[in-house]
Amino acid sequence: MTGIKENLQKIKSSLPEHVTLVAVSKTKPVSDLQEAYDAGQRVFGENKIQEMVTKYDELPKDIQWHMIGHLQRNKVKYMAHFVHLIHGVDSFKTLQEIDKQAKKHNRVINCLLQARIAKEDTKFGLPFNKIEEILASDELKELKNIKIVGLMGMATFTENQEQLQDEFSSLASFFNKNQEKYPNLTTLSMGMSGDYELAIENGSNMVRIGSSIFGVRNYIA
Ligand SMILES: *Cc1c(COP(=O)(O)O)cnc(C)c1O
């Protein structure tokens, strides 16, 4: 008994209706994903392209696959035929590559720009002014096979609620401001197992939850 079904039900029942739950299944075996699938979950998040491709091949095809990790541009081609949403886009070059690969499959791939909100310098992401630069650029209009549908952020790994609050609310107000100019921006992806409630209070409408559903991960370094 893994408790995945129970964990999922508990979390789902606590989420407001407008919040999408991405079940973060990185490092977990296909059998765990199948268990979540059988409990009704259809949206899964992975942070390594190769691992996501393997799981995509093995699991039912009505799953929406979200790439939440840092992207290696040379691997975008392996997921371009099926990925549903790419959360971690942090450069224009990466957008160009996604566009190029999406075109080959006659698809439009939805993307989120990753904002840098954490104080730690280990976290990826774009400063707000770079995001505005990309959204306003003429070059972006040339990319017909991608669509920027929102923003993603990862807060600092801390227990300090005040700091988390600051980071989430700054991204949310930046998001709201840009949403007025760019109505395609509908998704604000922020919040993980440890901080999703606070993220939702601050306006998140997509949470990425792993360990609270599947249990702690054993990383093999
Ligand atoms: C692993 C990961 C998560 C989920 O983390 P948990 O703390 O296990 O919920 C969310 N977002 C990103 C980008 C991740 O890499």
Side-chain angles (χ1 to χ4, degrees), residues 2-6 8 12 23-46 54-63 65 213-214:
T2 58
I4 290 172
K5 186 177 174 190
E6 291 75 13
L8 253 178
K12 272 191 153 159
V24 176
S25 48
K26 61 192 185 191
T27 79
K28 296 295 176 183
V30 165
S31 56
D32 282 7
L33 282 76
Q34 183 70 53
E35 195 170 332
Y37 180 90
D38 292 339
Q41 184 64 24
R42 292 294 180 272
V43 183
F44 291 86
E46 291 282 336
T54 305
K55 288 171 172 171
Y56 165 78
D57 285 339
E58 290 185 35
L59 285 158
K61 294 298 173 278
D62 61 341
I63 289 175
W65 292 97
I213 297 171
F214 296 104

Side-chain angles (χ1 to χ4, degrees), residues 22-26 45-47 67-70 87-88 114 123 152-154 157 189-196 207-217 219:
V22 180
V24 176
S25 48
K26 61 192 185 191
E46 291 282 336
N47 72 338
M67 175 44 57
I68 63 170
H70 186 68
H87 290 231
Q114 183 170 355
K123 296 278 161 76
M152 179 266 214
M154 258 173 112
F157 187 71
S189 166
M190 57 181 199
M192 318 186 358
S193 290
D195 57 22
Y196 72 91
V207 292
R208 310 176 308 268
I209 300 182
S211 43
S212 292
I213 297 171
F214 296 104
V216 293
R217 289 176 292 273
Y219 278 110

